[in-house]
Amino acid sequence: MSGGLFDIPSDLQNTYWGLVGVHLREALVPVLVGLVVALPIAQLCVRLRWLYPPVLWVTTVLYAIPSLAFFVVLIDYTGQTETTVMIPLGVYSLVVFVPAIVDGVRSVPQETLDAATAMGLGPVRRYFQVQLPIAAPAIIAGLRIATVSSVSLVSVGMLIGNQGALGNLLHDGQIYNQPRLIWLSVIGTAVLAVVADALLVLVRILVTPWMPRGGRASRPVDEPEPLTAALEDAAR
């Protein structure tokens, strides 16, 4: 180390900005995979109401398992790799996504579903073109929680062979007695979480223009209601 602000120990075999990229990859890939897995599970829970309590129980139990215990089990199969870090993060995201999607889809009025069916939409098209768009605010809220949590938890990967991205700096900061490295890790992780959350807020604003924003005036008379807009888009 030459002592520059962003200079890091050579044993990490990466630059600071390289670690930032690794951190984002390890945090966001599990969240996206978790969302894809949660969508069909949540739809099953909506259609089969008796299935929701056991699914929620299983995801909650999995979330309660410490990440270190997950690592110990997975290392025999996936080794000391990024995959070992990402699998628990993907599993943890399910406890957020499943309830968010189920609650969002269940909030769609039955009259809207009946209207969509009358317009010739089958179950699949109705789900993707009507239910999910209307449930988008709840889903994005869950996505924000899962993303921020994942960004924070990636650092635990430092316990298995320097797979914690920015979290690796915590370990090296203690070994080399370099508080600068610890601050780079803590502040960098916090900034990534804040930026990711802000971007998701922007996404929500873009995909749900009917949602109120602070100080926004009441809806113009000629602006369509969200349920009507969703049905019109689905019918096209």
Side-chain angles (χ1 to χ4, degrees), residues 187-232:
I187 295 176
T189 301
V191 169
L192 288 181
V194 170
V195 170
D197 186 63
L199 290 176
L200 288 173
V201 170
L202 178 60
V203 170
R204 184 192 68 79
I205 293 173
L206 293 176
V207 302
T208 60
W210 64 84
M211 290 290 291
R213 305 174 187 72
R216 180 177 174 177
S218 58
R219 186 195 313 276
V221 176
D222 59 346
E223 182 178 341
E225 291 290 331
L227 303 185
T228 304
L231 288 176
E232 291 177 350

Side-chain angles (χ1 to χ4, degrees), residues 70-88 160 163:
F70 253 129
F71 294 159
V72 171
V73 173
L74 292 173
I75 281 177
D76 290 338
Y77 304 96
T78 54
Q80 295 181 341
T81 63
E82 290 183 17
T83 303
T84 302
V85 177
M86 291 191 287
I87 290 176
I160 56 165
Q163 295 300 330

Side-chain angles (χ1 to χ4, degrees), residues 46-185:
V46 170
R47 295 179 66 86
L48 306 174
R49 288 182 174 270
W50 61 266
L51 187 61
Y52 185 43
V55 167
L56 193 60
W57 181 84
V58 170
T59 57
T60 302
V61 169
L62 290 174
Y63 186 79
I65 299 176
S67 53
L68 184 57
F70 253 129
F71 294 159
V72 171
V73 173
L74 292 173
I75 281 177
D76 290 338
Y77 304 96
T78 54
Q80 295 181 341
T81 63
E82 290 183 17
T83 303
T84 302
V85 177
M86 291 191 287
I87 290 176
L89 297 182
V91 172
Y92 292 156
S93 70
L94 294 178
V95 78
V96 177
F97 284 136
V98 172
I101 298 172
V102 170
D103 292 343
V105 171
R106 283 181 176 175
S107 69
V108 180
Q110 184 60 43
E111 312 86 73
T112 303
L113 299 178
D114 293 340
T117 302
M119 293 172 67
L121 272 66
V124 175
R125 288 187 62 195
R126 188 174 60 203
Y127 180 59
F128 284 101
Q129 295 180 268
V130 177
Q131 291 175 288
L132 285 185
I134 296 174
I139 296 173
I140 294 176
L143 185 60
R144 291 174 62 189
I145 295 172
T147 300
V148 172
S149 298
S150 187
V151 170
S152 302
L153 289 173
V154 164
S155 297
V156 182
M158 69 179 177
L159 299 174
I160 56 165
N162 284 336
Q163 295 300 330
L166 289 177
N168 299 339
L169 295 177
L170 291 172
H171 180 258
D172 276 25
Q174 294 174 344
I175 291 179
Y176 298 112
N177 192 26
Q178 288 280 342
R180 174 180 60 86
L181 298 178
I182 297 175
W183 282 111
L184 282 175
S185 174

